Amino acid sequence: MTNATAARPARKDLIKAFVASLSGTSLEWYDFAAYSVASALVFGQLFFPSHDPLSGTLLAFSTYAVGYVSRPLGGFVFGRLGDVLGRKQVLVITLLITGISTVLIGLLPTHSQVGALGAALLVVLRFAQGVGIGGEWGGAVLLSSEYGSEKHRGFWASAAQIGPPAGNLLANGVLAGLAAGLTSEQFMSWGWRVAFLLSAVLVIFGLWIRVKLEETPVFQEIQQKGEQAGAPVREVLTREPRALISGILSRVGPDVLYALFTVFVLTYATQQLDMPKSWAVTGVMLGSSLQLFGMPLAGALSDRFGRRRIYAIGAVGGLVWPFAFFPLVGGGSAGLLIIGVIVGLIWHALMYGPQAAFIAEQFSPELRATGSSLAYTLAGIIGGALAPLLFTSLYAYFDTWVAPACYLAATCVVTLVGLALSRTGAPAGSR
């Protein structure tokens, strides 16, 4: 049965679902982005002190990776619950997990206060952040997309995709404001903590929106017909393995591209090119601002021209752009750095905007939360989790930007393979 046969939700419910999906993912990516920026600028010194700044950064990025490695656990547990219990209940839990973990990071004692215990606690809380986000994405995508029609699914599903640039913009804005308004000593001492503690306000707002929202029409229909999967993880692996492989591979390139232009670029610009931190942060903020409009635009374009076509354009652009970006910024120009980051994030938007609808459409409705969550989280391990660490290590080992650029290009090829393996449209019987 399609959406056309079900009662169509009122437009106010569509908008409410869009806001609920956007607000929650924005909060969780604010938390994640704050950690990413702090890993590049603060955590290496405060939790992993070393005489070699590069070694401290590598260790800090290792804890960054923990947040990706833990995502499959969240995807496994909460994706399954999303198909069994419903999308809404799961999203309230994941919001609380990520929000509380982030507030606690803002209260952590540093290495100078408690030694290695501070780093250990940081890793534990980072792990919890990853679990929350691993369970969040699949449910958030379905919350907005299952309120809308198939015809406009790309646009409505993009609500969850706006979360990363919105959260990244908020996190970088808060940290940039704190860095500008405080001395270096104040920022390193307590200023960075404010960014993490502020997430408590966003948690309250996100919970208020989600608690008031009803379950999606699609899941209500599945419940009424008793079509919930009994063992959704097993059924995804046995019934729809190609869909899972396609979803995983398609996500690798966007994750790595995003890591380069929002995380590694901060370290590269400041440590290798001796540029002020504010230049790179400005580029990330402007690029993220454009993505707020670029994500839903790309989703809408995929409704008209096809998911794979728009996605593939972004993947090809992401493959080529690093070979232009690094030579452009090598001269130390602030303008070229900012433009380079913005263009990189435009290619990312063309992939990330249609991604939510693209992955959800690979799976049958009764397996959609589990399949989408597993594809999202498993891809994170081989994509975003290792990207900052590999970018830094490759540059350090080869002493040239060509190595990181080739790495990104290879991951975009992987994404193109995932697109080639995909279904061209929603599976039969999709709602």
Side-chain angles (χ1 to χ4, degrees):
M1 179 177 293
T2 65
N3 267 357
T5 62
R8 187 177 296 275
R11 187 164 184 83
K12 67 177 183 179
D13 293 325
L14 281 170
I15 295 173
K16 190 185 299 182
F18 190 92
V19 173
S21 179
L22 170 60
S23 62
T25 53
S26 295
L27 162 68
E28 301 204 356
W29 278 95
Y30 168 87
D31 298 344
F32 223 63
Y35 191 102
S36 301
V37 176
S39 292
L41 304 180
V42 175
F43 286 164
Q45 300 176 54
L46 296 182
F47 293 95
F48 307 97
S50 170
H51 295 298
D52 177 12
L54 181 60
S55 297
T57 301
L58 285 171
L59 287 171
F61 281 159
S62 297
T63 63
Y64 173 90
V66 168
Y68 279 90
V69 173
S70 61
R71 285 186 188 184
L73 176 60
F76 180 92
V77 173
F78 295 111
R80 178 185 180 280
L81 290 177
D83 280 326
V84 175
L85 300 179
R87 325 309 194 196
K88 172 186 170 179
Q89 296 182 52
V90 167
L91 290 174
V92 171
I93 298 171
T94 58
L95 188 69
L96 285 171
I97 290 174
T98 308
I100 292 172
S101 300
T102 305
V103 170
L104 291 177
I105 288 176
L107 300 173
L108 276 182
T110 63
H111 186 277
S112 65
Q113 296 170 315
V114 296
L117 177 61
L121 291 173
L122 182 64
V123 171
V124 170
L125 293 174
R126 179 61 170 177
F127 186 91
Q129 268 191 335
V131 170
I133 289 187
E136 163 75 17
W137 187 82
V141 165
L142 302 188
L143 188 66
S144 54
S145 67
E146 289 184 347
Y147 266 91
S149 66
E150 288 182 36
K151 185 178 179 181
H152 302 293
R153 183 178 287 157
F155 172 77
W156 290 108
S158 71
Q161 306 304 87
I162 303 172
N168 198 30
L169 183 63
L170 283 171
N172 278 282
V174 169
L175 285 165
L178 290 168
L182 301 173
T183 65
S184 297
E185 291 75 18
Q186 289 173 326
F187 182 77
M188 293 296 294
S189 175
W190 58 267
W192 65 272
R193 298 181 183 274
V194 175
F196 291 88
L197 297 176
L198 282 176
S199 68
V201 178
L202 300 176
V203 170
I204 295 171
F205 175 76
L207 286 174
W208 176 67
I209 293 291
R210 289 186 173 184
V211 168
K212 295 176 63 177
L213 191 68
E214 292 186 5
E215 186 54 79
T216 72
V218 170
F219 187 77
Q220 289 183 37
E221 185 178 343
I222 291 173
Q223 273 188 316
Q224 291 167 4
K225 294 187 172 185
E227 294 178 348
Q228 295 105 308
V233 175
R234 177 174 58 81
E235 292 184 46
V236 166
L237 295 175
T238 56
R239 286 172 46 191
E240 303 185 353
R242 178 169 175 166
L244 182 60
I245 293 171
S246 173
I248 291 172
L249 297 183
S250 68
R251 276 193 43 82
V252 174
D255 269 10
V256 175
L257 179 67
Y258 194 71
L260 190 151
F261 287 107
T262 63
V263 181
F264 177 72
V265 70
L266 301 176
T267 301
Y268 181 78
T270 56
Q271 295 187 8
Q272 304 301 326
L273 302 179
D274 293 323
M275 293 180 174
K277 289 186 289 189
S278 60
W279 292 4
V281 170
T282 298
V284 172
M285 291 179 67
L286 289 175
S288 296
S289 298
L290 291 175
Q291 284 193 317
L292 297 179
F293 306 97
M295 297 291 190
L297 175 60
L301 288 173
S302 77
D303 287 327
R304 181 169 183 178
F305 299 107
R307 316 265 186 253
R308 291 201 297 188
R309 180 177 299 174
I310 301 301
Y311 210 132
I313 291 172
V316 173
L319 187 158
V320 173
W321 183 240
F323 296 97
F325 170 75
F326 284 106
L328 279 175
V329 303
S333 166
L336 290 178
L337 173 66
I338 292 170
I339 292 172
V341 171
I342 290 173
V343 172
L345 291 178
I346 288 174
W347 296 125
H348 177 262
L350 288 174
M351 290 187 279
Y352 209 68
Q355 185 183 93
F358 171 81
I359 292 179
E361 287 173 348
Q362 302 308 304
F363 301 96
S364 304
E366 67 275 12
L367 299 176
R368 196 173 281 159
T370 301
S372 298
S373 296
L374 289 177
Y376 177 78
T377 56
L378 292 174
I381 295 179
I382 59 177
L386 299 177
L389 188 63
L390 285 177
F391 280 133
T392 306
S393 300
L394 286 170
Y395 188 88
Y397 183 80
F398 290 102
D399 194 27
T400 174
W401 59 265
V402 175
C406 288
Y407 164 52
L408 174 55
T411 63
C412 288
V413 171
V414 169
T415 285
L416 291 170
V417 172
L419 296 178
L421 290 173
S422 69
R423 291 183 170 112
T424 56
S430 181
R431 302 173 178 87

